[in-house]
Amino acid sequence: MSYFRTFTRLTAPALASLGLAFTLTTLPGCGSRSGTDTENPATVADTTKPAVIDTVKLKMEAMRRDSLKADSIAKKNGQLPGAILPGHRIVAFYGNIRSKGMGILGREPKEQMFRKFEGVLKEWQAADPSIPVQAALHNVTITAQGTPGKDGKWRLMNSKATIEEVLSWAKEHNCILFLDVQPGHSTLQAELPKLEQYLKDPIVHLGIDPEFSLSTMPGVRPNQKIGTLDAKDVNFTVNFLARIVSENKLPPKVLTVHRFTRKMISNYKNIKLDPRVQIVMHMDGHGEPTLKKDSYKAYIQAEPVQYTGFKLFYEYDARPKPHHIMTPKEVLAELTPKPLYIQYQ
């Protein structure tokens, strides 16, 4: 689709009918945050003639003002209305409802899984009564594959029926839902638009997994090497979500970014924050407690972005004995900062 700059002669009443207020004043530069404009007499037009309006420029200015408004609100209390973090701790069950091998979400029958989940939520609430727990399902929705597929991108998206079913599970049990993306040899730029229709739902959030992002590694199959994403990919994702939030008047989205090696995220200092998107850097490694804590310190605590997450593995963390799955009290006592996103696989 191509876009062309269009010019339309619109009178002030016509602009008002479109819900647009237009005054002939100088517009602040892109870096301005003053929120005020100073009238420039040299720009005042002959009021007997309709003004020539650059409609594309108007739309761009409206989007910019929306972003500045979000910034100003966030500066007052650190977050936008409806933000989940930092006022809650998200506790999520991860996997794919069509797979027994990807995680607890899908490994057990639905009702049995939710009974287990209810117990876990109570454990976390008891471990830290000062912050309410927000239940979440984290469904791998675009999954890296062991075969290239027709287009050679080594990934497969869940069917519409599967996505709608897991969304119905979330709503039935008062959970939020994360749709997780493993892009394979595709890119986030190509894959994320496929999920936009679902992300318009206020309870739907997003996860991205650098481990299975291999577009910079030609010929490498998923699981052969650990993939990577750059700050520019994270920033693309943030901008993508921020636009959806603004266009649909939604509360902020939460974005989880999986990480358990330094190379999984490059140039982390260049990641740009936006109050419409809350970024969780999520320690996604398995192993015995000391290894997990060291990874959290090295890749999450030492390279901070915004909020932090921590994953616990039912199948792998307790092997071999006497290793064990860390308890909520251990996680909260032994990790700094205390993670606000907890995921069980």
Side-chain angles (χ1 to χ4, degrees), residues 31-42:
S32 171
R33 293 176 183 263
S34 66
T36 61
D37 296 332
T38 303
E39 183 171 311
N40 183 349

Side-chain angles (χ1 to χ4, degrees), residues 19-327:
L20 296 172
F22 181 75
T23 57
L24 291 172
T25 58
T26 56
L27 294 170
C30 290
S32 171
R33 293 176 183 263
S34 66
T36 61
D37 296 332
T38 303
E39 183 171 311
N40 183 349
T43 66
V44 177
D46 182 354
T47 57
T48 64
K49 298 178 181 179
V52 178
I53 307 301
D54 180 347
T55 56
V56 171
K57 187 175 181 180
L58 272 180
K59 291 178 181 178
M60 294 299 294
E61 285 296 324
M63 290 178 65
R64 187 182 65 81
R65 287 195 302 273
D66 179 79
S67 179
L68 296 181
K69 181 180 178 182
D71 284 349
S72 66
I73 295 172
K75 286 176 183 176
K76 291 181 181 179
N77 61 11
Q79 62 183 32
L80 292 174
I84 296 175
L85 303 173
H88 298 77
R89 174 169 287 111
I90 301 170
V91 178
F93 265 20
Y94 168 99
N96 183 295
I97 65 169
R98 297 287 186 252
S99 171
K100 294 183 180 296
M102 293 185 67
I104 185 62
L105 182 63
R107 182 178 300 131
E108 299 179 1
K110 176 186 173 185
E111 295 308 321
Q112 178 180 319
M113 184 270 293
F114 273 109
R115 286 194 296 271
K116 185 171 188 173
F117 194 23
E118 185 65 29
V120 169
L121 297 173
K122 289 179 179 178
E123 288 179 9
W124 276 97
Q125 194 62 80
D128 185 2
S130 69
I131 180 170
V133 168
Q134 171 61 63
L137 305 181
H138 197 120
N139 189 77
V140 185
T141 304
I142 298 177
T143 310
Q145 299 292 299
T147 55
K150 292 182 179 179
D151 61 1
K153 298 298 183 183
W154 299 82
R155 54 83 185 94
L156 181 67
M157 181 171 166
N158 284 170
S159 68
K160 183 174 185 289
T162 295
I163 298 171
E164 290 180 348
E165 183 174 351
V166 72
L167 180 56
S168 72
W169 287 18
K171 292 182 176 180
E172 179 184 344
H173 289 270
N174 298 314
C175 299
I176 59 174
L177 174 64
F178 287 85
L179 303 181
D180 202 84
V181 179
Q182 300 176 352
H185 279 277
S186 185
T187 63
L188 294 176
Q189 289 80 353
E191 299 303 313
L192 294 187
K194 300 175 183 178
L195 302 179
E196 180 165 350
Q197 62 179 308
Y198 305 107
L199 289 162
K200 292 178 182 180
D201 190 310
I203 76 161
V204 178
H205 302 267
L206 185 68
I208 55 176
D209 196 343
E211 179 182 3
F212 299 101
S213 175
L214 302 164
S215 62
T216 61
M217 304 178 184
V220 175
R221 294 177 56 185
N223 282 327
Q224 282 186 325
K225 290 185 178 180
I226 296 171
T228 186
L229 289 171
D230 187 72
K232 68 177 185 294
D233 301 304
V234 179
N235 290 338
F236 168 84
T237 305
V238 169
N239 292 336
F240 172 79
L241 290 173
R243 176 183 60 78
I244 293 173
V245 167
S246 290
E247 289 179 354
N248 297 279
K249 298 180 173 59
L250 300 174
K253 294 292 184 185
V254 180
L255 170 65
T256 61
V257 183
H258 302 273
R259 189 177 193 189
F260 57 88
T261 72
R262 182 156 283 109
K263 291 182 179 181
M264 284 175 70
I265 295 291
S266 56
N267 301 307
Y268 83 96
K269 290 182 179 180
N270 294 335
I271 295 173
K272 299 184 184 303
L273 301 184
D274 185 302
R276 293 166 289 181
V277 181
Q278 302 191 292
I279 302 174
V280 174
M281 297 303 294
H282 175 51
M283 205 299 286
D284 189 19
H286 60 77
E288 50 88 15
T290 299
L291 177 62
K292 292 173 71 74
K293 288 184 287 186
D294 286 347
S295 295
Y296 183 87
K297 184 176 181 179
Y299 310 124
I300 306 300
Q301 180 182 344
E303 297 191 353
V305 175
Q306 191 173 18
Y307 301 104
T308 68
F310 194 73
K311 180 180 275 192
L312 297 162
F313 289 79
Y314 281 118
E315 290 198 324
Y316 303 123
D317 284 357
R319 300 178 185 175
K321 293 182 178 181
H323 298 151
H324 66 282
I325 300 170
M326 293 176 70
T327 66

